[in-house]
Amino acid sequence: MGENAISGNLKNLKIDTGRSETLVVCFGEMLIDFVPTVGGVSLAEAPAFKKAPGGAPANVAVGVSRLGGSSAFVGKVGDDEFGRMLADILRLNNVDNSGMRFDHKARTALAFVTLRGDGEREFLFFRHPSADMRLLESELDKNLIQKAKIFHYGSIGLIEEPCRSTQLAAMKIAKASGSLLSYDPNLRLPLWPSEEAARKEIMSIWNLADVIKISEEEITFLTGGDDPYDDEVVLRKLFHPNLKLLVVSEGPNGCRYYTQEFKGRVGGVKVKAVDTTGAGDAFVSGLLNSLASDLTLLTDEKKLREALLFANACGAITATERGAIPAMPTMDAVQDLLSSSRS
């Protein structure tokens, strides 16, 4: 099936515009992860691999929808079996995929990923180039982006042209439409030509975001080795004057938050973790779903702490199952976990 035919079919999947008041639009990569069928082995030792949908922005879009929110995904995949499979997965998860485009010349990105016996994650990417890197500004669904209450993105789109210029253009459209800009750098060093290039590009759009979520490891990387637990380091080097919220995720230990007016910490929700893949994306989707419904969270510390506890619970539930998209929690599941952890 050709690009025009597919795009035409997908155009019919527009969300009800009445829900666009809380719409979260996620921009970036969607790919196929190949994960070993057994745990604790290197990629070379793996006897076989199982495919799973991946890509942080797509995970967040599904996470928002799973919680009952309104979400859309903007990005490019190959005009191939995997690309059509990914478009279908979004549709089946009630994510508006009308902003997806299909490339005839480049394939859908593939990533082989494993958690080795020593606890280190090992990645092998096939993007030479992949379709997501070739999204053009002319292919953006501007109307969809303009409807976003929140426009969410990462840094992987900044690695190469033309996607870099396209991402900057999409951010500009969203900002001009009054969208809240949400940024999760989601550092994947093996994809970048060098550490210096990664640091420079990730920071090049830092001051444009209203909300930023980063990990402890990313603080260390972006500050050139500073202590990620030092509030002064975070506030001096990473907080900018236009930022409304900076969240530092600490995995099972919860998160820290910084705004213009207040800062603090919200503890994690205890679970038995099986696979942390997608837990950070589930955390982001929980936070953005709450924000899309009530932007006053950004200035009300009590409400913000409740939203961050909710986000922590979203991440915790996702860590109890394998895979990212299959493990994204429903609103009922999150409420049940929070109720049981209080009792």
Side-chain angles (χ1 to χ4, degrees):
M1 194 184 287
E3 181 174 359
N4 291 340
I6 295 172
S7 297
N9 289 341
L10 295 177
K11 285 290 181 190
N12 298 327
L13 298 173
K14 287 278 189 187
I15 58 159
D16 173 11
T17 53
R19 295 182 71 208
S20 62
E21 289 174 13
T22 59
L23 178 65
V24 178
V25 175
C26 300
F27 175 97
E29 70 283 357
M30 189 174 193
L31 58 147
I32 303 286
D33 284 335
F34 284 92
V35 185
T37 51
V38 296
V41 296
S42 69
L43 292 176
E45 294 164 340
F49 295 88
K50 181 181 170 187
K51 72 178 188 300
N59 291 344
V60 172
V62 171
V64 169
S65 177
R66 193 74 56 82
L67 290 167
S70 175
S71 68
F73 174 75
V74 174
K76 199 172 195 182
V77 292
D79 185 12
D80 51 40
E81 285 294 314
F82 285 146
R84 286 187 285 278
M85 181 191 102
L86 293 174
D88 273 347
I89 284 168
L90 291 181
R91 180 179 56 80
L92 292 169
N93 282 281
N94 297 312
V95 175
D96 180 348
N97 64 8
S98 61
M100 283 183 87
R101 299 294 178 259
F102 297 81
D103 196 310
H104 297 301
K105 294 182 178 175
R107 298 293 190 197
T108 301
L110 308 178
F112 289 79
V113 56
T114 186
L115 190 65
R116 298 193 313 232
D118 60 6
E120 286 296 311
R121 284 170 93 184
E122 185 181 353
F123 292 95
L124 180 61
F125 294 97
F126 286 76
R127 300 171 85 238
H128 304 97
S130 54
D132 59 288
M133 301 156 70
R134 289 164 46 91
L135 182 66
L136 301 170
E137 183 179 344
S138 60
E139 294 175 306
L140 289 174
D141 186 334
K142 294 183 173 65
N143 290 334
L144 179 62
I145 295 169
Q146 286 168 342
K147 288 179 189 170
K149 179 79 167 278
I150 298 174
F151 184 73
H152 177 71
Y153 50 88
S155 68
I156 288 172
L158 302 174
I159 297 173
E160 285 202 34
E161 293 290 359
C163 189
R164 181 181 182 277
S165 293
T166 305
Q167 176 166 335
L168 295 177
M171 289 165 58
K172 193 173 179 181
I173 293 165
K175 192 74 168 177
S177 305
S179 306
L180 190 82
L181 296 195
S182 164
Y183 184 25
D184 177 0
N186 198 36
L187 178 66
R188 291 285 179 267
L189 263 183
L191 290 176
W192 291 89
S194 68
E195 287 195 8
E196 189 48 48
R199 200 176 285 113
K200 178 174 173 285
E201 285 297 332
I202 287 170
M203 295 307 294
S204 72
I205 60 169
W206 198 261
N207 290 352
L208 300 173
D210 298 299
V211 174
I212 297 175
K213 174 258 174 190
I214 44 172
S215 67
E216 300 153 298
E217 297 82 7
E218 286 163 348
I219 293 175
T220 303
F221 175 76
L222 293 172
T223 59
D226 287 352
D227 180 1
Y229 303 102
D230 186 337
D231 283 350
E232 282 307 307
V233 166
V234 174
L235 289 168
R236 191 175 73 252
K237 293 197 172 182
L238 297 176
F239 201 91
H240 66 77
N242 300 318
L243 195 57
K244 295 179 174 67
L245 174 64
L246 176 66
V247 179
V248 180
S249 58
E250 298 183 341
N253 297 321
C255 64
R256 306 199 306 275
Y257 59 88
Y258 304 85
T259 74
Q260 303 279 4
E261 305 297 327
F262 45 77
K263 66 182 195 304
R265 193 172 169 279
V266 177
V269 181
K270 295 286 178 282
V271 292
K272 185 171 171 49
V274 172
D275 176 13
T276 58
T277 305
D281 300 329
F283 173 91
V284 171
S285 64
L287 176 58
L288 295 187
N289 189 58
S290 298
L291 268 176
S293 302
D294 185 3
L295 287 179
T296 66
L297 294 175
L298 296 169
T299 53
D300 183 325
E301 187 170 13
K302 183 173 182 293
K303 280 187 185 176
L304 178 63
R305 290 183 63 85
E306 287 171 5
L308 290 172
L309 180 62
F310 179 87
N312 285 344
C314 290
I317 290 173
T318 303
T320 64
E321 290 183 41
R322 294 201 180 279
I325 285 177
M328 293 284 163
T330 61
M331 182 66 78
D332 285 348
V334 180
Q335 301 290 12
D336 288 349
L337 177 60
L338 289 172
S339 298
S340 64
S341 65
R342 287 188 186 111
S343 56

